[in-house]
Amino acid sequence: MSYQIITKMVYNACTHQIETWQHSNNVWPRTDHFLALDVRTDEQLFHFISLVAEGTWQTRKWRKAFETLFREYPELRMDSYRDELRGKSWPEYCAIRRKYKELAWSKCGEIAARFRQLVKIKKEEK
């Protein structure tokens, strides 16, 4: 029997959170999960984008927006520099990964702003 998670994801403008509902159909016991990730600041939104880029956060919503974002900022996804990692020693591998993570982090505000523009999320006004 296959394992399937159906995910519903929304942006809650009142709480400034990305909310996810997950339901497992094929696993006993059948459980529902609710997760909320706060994305008020650029850093928090960048963290969410990083989770999606690494494949640790499942998302179907905004798929086209993420594809566009990852094309415009290839340093977010390891796929874009995987060839550079091939055949390197562990210290060299870590240095390359760190270089790309720092490059992406240096563009945190720019990446968060572009993502908000792509998915039409308004930044919280103070």
Side-chain angles (χ1 to χ4, degrees):
M1 190 179 270
S2 66
Y3 182 83
Q4 181 181 16
I5 294 178
I6 301 167
T7 304
K8 178 183 174 190
M9 188 169 77
V10 298
Y11 174 73
N12 186 333
C14 294
T15 61
H16 303 284
Q17 292 181 329
I18 293 176
E19 299 173 346
T20 305
W21 291 267
Q22 297 177 345
H23 176 73
S24 178
N25 287 335
N26 302 329
V27 176
W28 186 88
R30 294 176 184 214
T31 56
D32 291 328
H33 299 281
F34 172 77
L35 303 168
L37 186 65
D38 195 12
V39 291
R40 289 177 193 267
T41 66
D42 287 349
E43 291 81 14
Q44 291 169 327
L45 184 57
F46 182 78
H47 178 66
F48 167 69
I49 293 167
S50 297
L51 291 174
V52 173
E54 294 167 1
T56 55
W57 190 284
Q58 179 189 13
T59 179
R60 290 184 208 149
K61 185 171 184 167
W62 305 319
R63 182 179 52 82
K64 288 183 181 180
F66 278 115
E67 288 173 1
T68 302
L69 189 71
F70 297 148
R71 254 192 327 273
E72 292 176 6
Y73 299 97
E75 59 273 7
L76 290 169
R77 301 229 10 163
M78 191 169 67
D79 297 351
S80 66
Y81 56 89
R82 187 172 308 251
D83 292 339
E84 192 176 337
L85 297 171
R86 200 167 284 129
K88 301 291 184 188
S89 67
W90 183 248
E92 292 172 319
Y93 179 92
C94 291
I96 292 169
R97 289 275 293 162
R98 191 175 320 109
K99 175 182 84 171
Y100 282 102
K101 283 189 175 211
E102 288 171 359
L103 176 62
W105 182 251
S106 71
K107 298 177 182 179
C108 171
E110 182 182 332
I111 291 170
R114 179 64 175 139
F115 182 74
R116 282 189 181 98
Q117 179 188 23
L118 289 169
V119 297
K120 296 174 179 69
I121 293 176
K122 293 183 180 177
K123 189 169 181 171
E124 177 185 4
E125 295 177 12
K126 296 179 181 180

